[in-house]
Amino acid sequence: MFSSSAKNLIRSNILQRCKSTLVVAEHNNEVLNPITLNTISAAKKIGGDVTVLVAGTKCGPASEAVSKVDGVAKVLVAENAAFKGFTAESITSLVLAAQTQFKFTHILAGATAFGKNVLPRVAAKLDVSPISEIIDVKSEDTFVRTIYAGNAILTLRAKDPVKVITVRGTNFPPAAATGGSGAVEQAPSGDYASRLSEFVSQELTKSDRPELTAAKVIISGGRGLKNGENFKLLYDLADKFGAAVGASRAAVDAGYVPNDLQIGQTGKIVAPELYVAVGISGAIQHLAGMKDSKTIVAINKDPEAPIFQVADVGLVADLFKAVPEITQKL
Amino acid sequence: MARVLVGVKRVIDYAVKVRVKPDKTGVVTEGVKHAMNPFDEIAVEEAVKMKEKKLASEVIAVSIGPTQSQEIIRTALAMGADRGLHVEVSGKDYELLQPVHVSKILAKLALDEKADLVILGKQAIDDDSNQTAQMTAAVLDWPQGTFCNKIEKTDSGLTITREIDGGLETIKTKTPAVLSADLRLNTPRYATLPNIMKAKKKPLKKVTPKDLGIDTTPRIDVISVEDPPVRQAGAVVADVDALIAKLKDGGHI
C-alpha cells in the first residue's frame, strides 16, 4: 500500500510528464511583442514542454525570434491571409485545431488587448473557465491573480482539465531571447477564415518612445496638467530619461492624450523601475495600474493626494514650476 | 430592427475601498454600498441610444445574482431599458459563479429572447475578468466586438472601432453579434426621478439557471483572498534638488 503522500508524488510525477503548454505569440507581422517572452517565463514556471504558436499574415520574423527563445521546444507556424488583423474568430479556430492535435494542458497568452480578446473565446469553445491576468504560478493548477482593482489577491485552484490563462507581463521576467533552439513546424492546416468578422484598419498612436508596458521609466500625467499642450512638459522630462509617457483616466477623458496611454485598472498595467506621477491624485483605479512600480515619485500640489501614500519620494509643489526645473537640472 | 440584450452586474461601488475578510475567503460585501458595474452603465446607455435612433426595437436588461440584483435591473429600466430578466443565483453558488457560467446563461437567454445584439461591459470591476462577452460570443458562435469605442450600424452588419494597445482599430462584423463596451463608448445618462418611478412598473421576470438548463458547478476552488502587500510610506522632499538627489541615490539618474 502506498501512503497517500507517495500516491500524490506518483500522481504529480505522471502529471509532470504529461504537462505541455501552448503559448499564443503576439506579434504585428514585423516584430514579436515582448510580452510573449514574459508569457513564456510563466509557461516555464508551470513546467513541461513549451510550444509557441505564431499566426499571422507574415510569420517569419516572429517565428524566427521565438525559436531562439530559451526553453521553447517547438514553434507552430500558421501563415495565412485568414489571420489578417488577428481577429478572435480566426485565431480561435486555429488554436482549437492545434489543441485537437497536441492536447495541451495549458494555453497561455499575454494579458494584452489581443490576449484578452482571443483566449476567453478559446476557453468557452473548450468549455473551460479561463483565468485572467495571473501574477504568479503556484503549481500546475494553482494560480494567483488580483481582483477589485488590485486591492485583493486571489489564489485559486482550477479544476478544468485544460487551463486557459492570460499572463500579466510585468509579473514575470522575460525569457532569454537567445539560447533556445525550438523546432519550427507548420501548424495544423485548415480553413480559418471567419465569415463572422473582418479587419478593416488600424490607427496606431505614433511614438518614438519606448512602449508603455515595457518601459523602464514612465512619466505620467493627470488632470493637473490642465490641457494637452502642457503634456509637452512631460515629454521634455521623459526625453531626459528615455522614458515612456502615460496618463491617468482623467487626462485621457479630458482629451489631453490618446486612450492607449491610460494606466490603470481598465488601461495598461505597468511596473517600471521608476514611475513619476505628475498631477495625478492617485485614485484606486489608477493605483491598480502602477503600484507594483519599483520606485514611485509623486509631484502634486495637494499634500493630501492619495498618491503620496504609495510614493517613495513625494514633492508637494506646483508641477508647472517643478517639472521644468527638474528637466533643466538633469 | 434589432432586439438588444444588455447584461448588468451588481458590484461593490467603484469608490469603496474593499476590505478582505479576516478568514481570507473573500472580501466583505455585507453592508457595503453596491452599484451597477460602470462598464454595464455604458452598455445600457448604448442600447438605449440604439432604441432612440430606431435601430433597436426593444432593450432587455439581464442581471444574474441574488435578489438585490433586481435593484440594478431597475436602474437599467430607469435608464430606458424596456423590461428586465433576473436570473437568481445566491449564496455560495453566486460566490463561485464565473464568466463561464454567466456566458452560457446569457447565450441561452439571447436565443430564447431572439436577441440580435448582446451588449456587455468589457469587464466587471470586482473580479476584473474581462471574459463574459468573448465567451458569450463563443457559445453562440456569433462574432465579437470587444472594447468598443464606437458602434455603427451598416446594411450588412456593424462597423466597430475598438480600443487596442497601440491605438484604435476598426472591424466589421455580421449580426447577430456580442459587443463589449469600453469606457469611452459613451457617457451614461442619469436616471431621472420620473423615470425611476416609471421603471417600477416595467416588467421584470425571474428565472433560475436550472429553468434555463444551465449547470453552474464551480470550476475553481478559492484557496485564499488576501490583502496586497503594503508599500512602505516614502519621504516627502522639500524641493526639486532634494528630489533629484533621491533619484541619484536610487540609481535612476
Side-chain angles (χ1 to χ4, degrees), chain A residues 14-153:
Chain A
I14 291 167
L15 288 172
Q16 191 83 33
R17 275 206 303 277
C18 298
K19 267 183 290 182
S20 65
T21 299
L22 178 71
V23 171
V24 184
E26 181 168 353
H27 68 118
N28 62 1
N29 295 314
E30 313 257 320
V31 292
L32 185 70
N33 184 324
I35 197 168
T36 306
L37 299 178
N38 309 87
T39 309
I40 291 170
S41 282
K44 284 159 77 174
K45 202 163 178 183
I46 291 167
D49 278 351
V50 178
T51 300
V52 181
L53 175 66
V54 179
T57 52
K58 188 178 155 212
C59 299
S63 58
E64 228 167 86
V66 152
S67 68
K68 292 180 195 138
V69 174
D70 184 40
V72 172
K74 189 159 52 179
V75 183
L76 295 175
V77 180
E79 191 169 289
N80 194 317
F83 305 124
K84 187 183 174 207
F86 308 98
T87 62
E89 294 81 0
S90 63
I91 303 278
T92 297
S93 311
L94 171 66
V95 174
L96 294 173
Q99 175 63 14
T100 305
Q101 183 172 346
F102 297 103
K103 309 269 186 283
F104 299 103
T105 54
H106 296 73
I107 301 175
L108 270 59
T112 57
F114 167 78
K116 290 173 181 178
N117 189 39
V118 174
L119 257 56
R121 191 172 181 105
V122 169
K125 288 289 184 194
L126 296 172
D127 191 14
V128 304
S129 175
I131 305 157
S132 295
E133 277 204 86
I134 59 162
I135 60 169
D136 201 2
V137 173
K138 292 287 183 198
S139 73
E140 71 206 51
D141 64 357
T142 306
F143 307 95
V144 185
R145 57 182 302 268
T146 66
I147 51 176
Y148 290 96
N151 286 296
I153 307 223

Side-chain angles (χ1 to χ4, degrees), chain A residues 289-311:
Chain A
M290 46 63 79
K291 68 182 177 184
D292 289 332
S293 304
K294 207 149 187 197
T295 302
I296 298 174
V297 173
I299 302 171
N300 203 303
K301 65 180 177 192
D302 174 11
E304 304 297 322
I307 191 78
F308 286 116
Q309 290 164 20
V310 299

Side-chain angles (χ1 to χ4, degrees), chain B residues 142-154:
Chain B
W142 291 2
Q144 64 191 51
T146 51
F147 324 145
C148 293
N149 178 284
K150 199 163 140 198
I151 301 165
E152 289 166 302
K153 178 89 184 74
T154 61

Side-chain angles (χ1 to χ4, degrees), chain A residues 269-289:
Chain A
I269 311 282
V270 299
E273 295 285 315
L274 177 64
Y275 187 91
V276 183
V278 182
I280 292 177
S281 65
I284 295 172
Q285 292 77 13
H286 185 73
L287 300 183

